[in-house]
Amino acid sequence: MSDEIRHEWPLFEVFVRAKRGLNHVHVGSLRAADHRMAVHHARDLYTRRNEGVSIWVVRSDDVTASEPGDRDAFFAPSADKVYRHPTHYRIPDSVPHI
Amino acid sequence: MSFDDAYAALTDHQDDTRWAYGTGFSDPLAGVPTDVPGGVDAADLTAYCLMLGDDALIMSHRLQQWVTRAPELEDEMALANIALDLLGQARLLLTRAAQAEGAGRDEDDLAFRRDAADFRHVRLAERADADFAHLVARLLVFVTWRLAVLDGLRGSRDPVLAAIAAKGVKELTYHREYAAQWVVRLGDGTAESHRRMRAAMHAVWPAIGELFRPHPVPDRLAEAGVAVPAAAARAEVDAVLSQVLAAAGLPPPTATDGGATDGGAGRDGAHTAALDEILAEMQGVARATPGGLW
Amino acid sequence: MTGDGERAFTQTLERDQRVEPRDWMPDGYRRTMIRQIAQHAHSEIIGMQPEGEWITRAPTLRRKAILLAKVQDEAGHGLYLYSAAETLGADRGDLTRRLIEGRQKYSSIFNYPTLTFADVGVIGWLVDGAAICNQVPLCRSSFGPYARAMIRICKEESFHQRQGYELLMTMMTGTPAQRETVQDAVNRWWWPSLMMFGPPDADSPNTAQSMAWKIKRHTNDELRQRFVDMTVPQAQALGVTLPDGELAWNAERGHYDFGAPDWAEFKRVLAGDGPMNARRIAHRRRADADGAWVREAAAAHAAKQSRAAGQARAAEGSVPA
């Protein structure tokens, strides 16, 4: 596309903490000239309905993600480590608090 | 999700934490007694609430005119939020004015069935904005001043006014931050934005004096512990404005103060033609439908 | 690699799972998705205009606040959708350009004028009602970011239709003139609302591919029928007549029969020849042009700040290697 127009402002990813005790969760993205403006815009766009107590913004081009093609190499090896889970171990019902 | 009822899908997603989707809305006046406190002149309280309510109503109207015209979609959101906050303040204050008046009127009678000469806002609120720089210049002055006034009103002897002020201070703190950041960005940004921001500050400057003009209603109510004297906010407003101007690289405007010299003030019902335009737009539907229900 | 990707893509669809932005996907899917989401986003943004004109004229302060919050939501929904489109590598500046140059479409419904305040109520009831019928199934779109945006949008829009219907119910208890304006608005918006579901299935060539990709979950005619069935009892409760002489309950089908919209008009409006097309686009173009110096200034200021911060760090000798 030779006539492509890029947006004037970079893209930011937005994370919102809904209430104390919860993680920040990715909610979407927005455009802003700088980080400070991005936080303001995130407040106005993603917390209009009392949705948050804290906001993170990250430049989208600063995010490094795993490759979908690496999914097996990354995540399959953890699938058979059943001994990491408490239900793997048989304890008689008569033994309390364990 | 069943398609048999299209609306079922709206309630299917109970896992709200994923969206940080909030609940728990609160009424800022819950449990606040509404009697006019002893020793307070009800007519003065009515007039004062009209002043503060009209300021917010008319400023909100000017902001509403920016909807679908903002420089960026994110700023549509921000300006609408500010307009909604000010509209909310206006509704609480006009309702308080009507209560104190005790003549059976409500917020809508006051907003839609008063003539221009009965409006009590400062003229700064009614000015039209030539461009976005003019809007943020006017917004900065307006919300800085209003924040200083409402901050003082948090200790008002009128519990309703105190509760409205406590809510308003939080909102206005954010509005001031928004406006100040834009003044700095435009003052510092490009040669063109600097020129426009400077012109806008120059244009708004003469309207500032009126904000602090002594007026018998707030001054009397201040003695009764209800209001803030009109002149009281000056020092804070001047300090904030010079700080923002300095950060924006803008010289202090030299335009003369028009507040005391043009023969009248908004607080006394002396307005410009801009208000006639605003009221024609704002009141047209309501007035064209006597007895209408909405 | 493409073979693996294609297999994974097909499996994802078969299992009714979501395709995520970095997954392999056919070019046609990506293009169609960007176009669908962008057109939806444009519709939200252009859709602010018909109702936005009435914010400053709303006859009570409560209605003013409701309408302002609603039109603001539409800007927000446009932004959620542009955000979803940008996960596919589209750029919002480029999409905006396509909109204001008339190279990408938006819903034809917004090319009709709003003549009275009753239109605000009817848009909430019929136009948002039709939009909900269209959008609820899209919460299950195979493209993850779009589906997630739609869930949030549908939740937020649940108030839009109710506020419109409530306004109309109130107006119907008002003066005879008010009742007339409600009926008049219903007459004007009914057929354009039915057109919102798109052309009849027989003339909708892309439907089969979109259904296979699970980016469209029901056909245009199915959704239209659903909307009519939902709306008829609401019209009765309101006390208005829907302007269709052929509208009648068909006990055999278990659905309402209804007349065909004027598809020639639909094509005309979609092609740009509706009552308000030129004005809607011109308005958007003007806002974009008037805002250009502001956006440039903010970008210039941010660049200066970032340079200054870099110099300060360099002076402190704390620049990471």
Side-chain angles (χ1 to χ4, degrees):
Chain A
M1 272 182 287
S2 57
D3 61 339
E4 192 176 336
I5 308 272
R6 305 304 293 186
H7 196 281
E8 292 93 337
W9 296 345
L11 196 62
F12 288 81
E13 302 299 322
V14 180
F15 302 77
V16 173
R17 184 200 294 286
K19 52 185 170 198
R20 299 182 70 83
L22 297 180
N23 287 322
H24 285 76
V25 174
H26 183 244
V27 292
S29 65
L30 49 73
R31 293 278 177 174
D34 54 42
H35 286 82
R36 200 165 168 207
M37 189 197 271
V39 171
H40 273 233
H41 284 166
R43 178 262 195 192
D44 285 315
L45 179 59
Y46 288 108
T47 66
R48 313 201 282 301
R49 285 174 168 81
N50 209 15
E51 294 104 324
V53 295
S54 167
I55 293 170
W56 289 347
V57 296
V58 180
R59 282 269 305 240
S60 306
D61 51 16
D62 282 340
V63 174
T64 307
S66 60
E67 293 292 334
D70 288 340
R71 194 169 58 194
D72 285 351
F74 266 54
F75 306 114
S78 68
D80 66 347
K81 310 292 193 294
V82 62
Y83 41 81
R84 285 196 170 111
H85 297 270
T87 49
H88 178 63
Y89 303 93
R90 281 202 203 125
I91 309 272
D93 289 346
S94 55
V95 181
H97 305 307
I98 183 163
Chain B
M1 187 182 306
S2 160
F3 189 63
D4 290 339
D5 177 359
Y7 297 91
L10 299 176
T11 52
D12 257 11
H13 298 271
Q14 295 298 347
D15 181 16
D16 282 348
T17 52
R18 179 152 62 126
W19 293 110
Y21 194 90
T23 52
F25 294 90
S26 56
D27 173 4
L29 298 186
V32 177
T34 56
D35 302 329
V36 175
V40 175
D41 185 292
D44 275 355
L45 183 59
T46 305
Y48 190 55
C49 289
L50 277 183
M51 293 175 180
L52 298 177
D54 288 347
D55 287 339
L57 181 67
I58 300 301
M59 187 69 196
S60 177
H61 186 92
R62 283 296 186 204
L63 285 160
Q64 291 156 31
Q65 291 177 325
W66 276 88
V67 172
T68 73
R69 292 180 172 82
E72 188 46 277
L73 294 175
E74 281 86 351
D75 289 290
E76 291 280 359
M77 306 300 296
L79 294 174
N81 272 341
I82 296 172
L84 277 169
D85 286 344
L86 290 176
L87 180 57
Q89 292 177 18
R91 294 183 64 189
L92 295 171
L93 286 160
L94 294 184
T95 300
R96 183 58 175 157
Q99 271 170 3
E101 182 189 50
R105 295 203 279 183
D106 64 13
E107 59 174 22
D108 290 326
D109 293 322
L110 291 174
F112 298 101
R113 284 170 281 278
R114 267 187 304 156
D115 295 332
D118 298 324
F119 274 79
R120 289 290 176 267
H121 58 274
V122 294
R123 290 178 176 187
L124 174 70
E126 71 197 34
R127 294 168 68 97
D129 304 304
D131 63 10
F132 190 69
H134 282 73
L135 172 68
V136 293
R138 209 163 57 84
L139 187 64
L140 176 68
V141 172
F142 180 85
V143 298
T144 300
W145 165 67
R146 191 171 178 83
L147 177 56
V149 172
L150 263 59
D151 193 40
L153 286 177
R154 286 194 293 181
S156 171
R157 275 188 58 232
D158 178 25
V160 177
L161 213 42
I164 296 170
K167 173 179 183 286
V169 161
K170 295 177 196 162
E171 296 167 344
L172 291 158
T173 303
Y174 185 83
H175 305 168
R176 190 178 69 175
E177 173 88 2
Y178 176 84
Q181 282 191 26
W182 267 116
V183 170
V184 170
R185 281 187 203 109
L186 298 182
D188 178 62
T190 61
E192 166 158 30
S193 73
H194 181 82
R195 178 184 64 73
R196 285 177 183 257
M197 197 62 245
R198 198 171 162 172
M201 273 297 169
H202 190 78
V204 77
W205 215 249
I208 297 180
E210 187 191 340
L211 309 180
F212 310 105
R213 234 162 102 149
H215 191 282
V217 167
D219 292 351
R220 272 199 303 272
L221 283 174
E223 277 174 34
V226 169
V228 177
R234 175 115 229 183
E236 186 184 334
V237 172
D238 284 347
V240 171
L241 292 183
S242 44
Q243 198 190 338
V244 175
L245 287 173
L250 293 165
T254 50
T256 49
D257 192 322
T261 55
D262 60 359
R267 289 286 188 245
D268 300 313
H271 295 287
T272 64
L275 182 62
D276 299 327
E277 227 172 90
I278 289 174
L279 294 187
E281 186 180 33
M282 184 169 83
Q283 299 179 333
V285 175
R287 290 200 182 210
T289 320
L293 296 176
W294 311 97
Chain C
M1 186 60 222
T2 298
D4 289 348
E6 195 161 4
R7 235 186 335 272
F9 176 80
T10 310
Q11 267 179 12
T12 302
L13 292 187
E14 277 167 1
R15 293 175 185 155
D16 214 9
Q17 291 175 329
R18 301 288 165 265
V19 176
E20 295 297 343
R22 292 164 61 85
D23 292 343
W24 184 92
M25 61 189 83
D27 286 343
Y29 180 89
R30 180 183 299 273
R31 269 198 312 274
T32 305
M33 232 34 258
I34 290 177
R35 195 182 60 233
Q36 184 181 350
I37 300 172
Q39 286 180 180
H40 195 164
H42 298 332
S43 300
E44 296 281 356
I45 299 306
I46 295 292
M48 296 168 69
Q49 290 183 34
E51 291 170 283
E53 291 169 12
W54 291 91
I55 295 170
T56 54
R57 298 164 212 275
T60 72
L61 295 183
R62 175 171 174 264
R63 288 292 166 203
K64 189 184 285 289
I66 291 169
L67 188 56
L68 178 51
K70 181 185 184 237
V71 173
Q72 183 199 35
D73 266 355
E74 284 156 10
H77 297 169
L79 282 169
Y80 301 159
L81 291 162
Y82 284 126
S83 166
E86 292 201 285
T87 65
L88 287 168
D91 177 273
R92 196 168 98 201
D94 178 53
L95 297 177
T96 302
R97 193 70 38 196
R98 287 164 189 268
L99 168 66
I100 61 185
E101 287 173 1
R103 289 187 286 140
Q104 257 174 357
K105 294 190 189 325
Y106 55 90
S107 177
S108 59
I109 191 82
F110 302 118
N111 290 319
Y112 293 88
T114 42
L115 303 182
T116 69
F117 197 72
D119 289 37
V120 168
V122 172
I123 287 178
W125 174 38
L126 296 180
V127 176
D128 291 323
I132 288 172
C133 282
N134 267 331
Q135 288 174 353
V136 164
L138 294 177
C139 296
R140 290 187 301 146
S141 165
S142 63
F143 184 57
Y146 190 37
R148 292 191 286 273
M150 288 318 307
I151 291 170
R152 189 172 178 129
I153 289 171
C154 284
K155 285 186 81 105
E156 295 190 352
E157 284 202 348
S158 52
F159 103 78
H160 292 188
Q161 193 192 22
R162 289 174 67 96
Q163 64 83 32
Y165 194 78
E166 185 210 64
L167 168 61
L168 298 177
M169 280 200 318
T170 313
M171 288 183 72
M172 290 300 283
T173 64
T175 66
Q178 280 189 296
R179 282 192 287 279
E180 269 172 45
T181 61
V182 172
Q183 182 63 58
D184 170 65
V186 170
N187 293 348
R188 284 182 287 110
W189 288 95
W190 172 249
W191 292 110
S193 299
L194 290 188
M195 295 177 196
M196 284 177 69
F197 298 94
D201 293 348
D203 303 329
S204 183
N206 298 322
T207 294
Q209 176 65 77
S210 293
M211 302 272 273
W213 277 337
K214 298 192 177 175
I215 55 180
K216 185 169 178 161
R217 315 291 308 220
H218 304 277
T219 71
N220 298 350
D221 287 335
E222 285 168 7
L223 291 166
R224 193 166 12 247
Q225 179 72 59
R226 171 63 49 189
F227 174 68
V228 172
D229 289 350
M230 277 182 0
T231 306
V232 172
Q234 293 167 355
Q236 284 163 353
L238 194 58
V240 295
T241 311
L242 298 174
D244 179 358
E246 294 175 50
L247 194 65
W249 177 251
N250 183 326
E252 205 173 303
R253 289 202 309 129
H255 292 290
Y256 284 93
D257 291 336
F258 57 98
D262 180 350
W263 292 114
E265 175 185 315
F266 173 75
K267 281 181 190 146
R268 228 169 32 241
V269 175
L270 201 61
D273 198 18
M276 301 296 282
N277 294 56
R279 258 181 70 174
R280 299 284 185 243
I281 289 294
H283 185 95
R284 190 73 225 131
R285 190 186 299 125
R286 195 165 54 245
D288 189 67
D290 288 350
W293 70 271
V294 177
R295 298 190 299 271
E296 277 161 26
H301 171 70
K304 286 186 200 175
Q305 292 292 104
S306 146
R307 268 200 306 278
Q311 278 161 6
R313 272 200 305 276
E316 287 168 19
S318 63
V319 175

